[in-house]
């Protein structure tokens, strides 16, 4: 799949306004009946207008080029159990890359 996003956000308290333009390609592949591989990438360009001395709200993204990607491998041995491993990475503005790895199990009763 391919998704495009245009977001505008503003905070009345701090006076910070942002415009974000993003593209998000993703793909999913099921193989060997019980295995699923899913990949997603999101690249965004964030333009921010911040008055002098303003503190950007913590939930606003960093200005500049932001990138996020994830890769998930899941195994469903039966209809009641799922085991998955997910690798998620992101880079916001001038910050360094951050990585998260998760291993999850889901049991249905």
């Amino acid at each position: 799949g391919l998704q495009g996003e245009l977001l505008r956000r503003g905070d009345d308290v701090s006076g910070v306004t942002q415009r974000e333009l993003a593209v998000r390609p993703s793909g999913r592949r099921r193989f060997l009946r019980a295995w699923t591989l899913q990949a997603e990438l999101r690249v965004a360009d964030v333009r921010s207008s911040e008055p002098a001395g303003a503190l950007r709200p913590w939930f606003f993204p960093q200005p500049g080029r932001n990138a996020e990607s994830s890769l998930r491998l899941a195994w469903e041995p039966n209809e009641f159990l799922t085991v998955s491993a997910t690798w998620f990475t992101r880079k916001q503005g001038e910050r360094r890359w951050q990585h998260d790895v998760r291993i999850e199990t889901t049991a249905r009763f």
Side-chain angles (χ1 to χ4, degrees):
L2 181 62
Q3 179 179 347
E5 301 173 4
L6 175 61
L7 305 168
R8 295 182 191 275
R9 64 179 67 84
D11 180 57
D12 291 336
V13 175
S14 65
V16 176
T17 59
Q18 288 187 334
R19 182 193 61 85
E20 182 175 6
L21 181 61
V23 64
R24 183 192 309 243
S26 63
R28 183 176 180 177
R29 172 87 171 133
R30 189 167 187 90
F31 56 98
L32 299 176
R33 288 183 150 195
W35 292 87
T36 304
L37 182 64
Q38 183 174 341
E40 184 173 286
L41 172 67
R42 184 177 189 273
V43 179
D45 182 48
V46 178
R47 306 291 170 143
S48 188
S49 173
E50 303 176 13
L55 293 174
R56 182 181 333 102
W58 65 271
F59 52 87
F60 277 30
Q62 293 288 322
R65 180 135 344 212
N66 297 327
E68 298 175 349
S69 67
S70 66
L71 185 63
R72 179 179 185 263
L73 179 64
W75 175 53
E76 289 184 46
N78 58 49
E79 62 193 65
F80 303 108
L81 179 66
T82 302
V83 179
S84 66
T86 305
W87 173 55
F88 179 77
T89 183
R90 73 180 149 264
K91 183 177 186 324
Q92 297 179 336
E94 299 300 317
R95 293 181 176 179
R96 296 175 61 167
W97 285 95
Q98 298 175 330
H99 304 277
D100 296 321
V101 176
R102 297 181 190 131
I103 298 175
E104 303 171 341
T105 61
T106 303
R108 296 173 201 86
F109 299 100

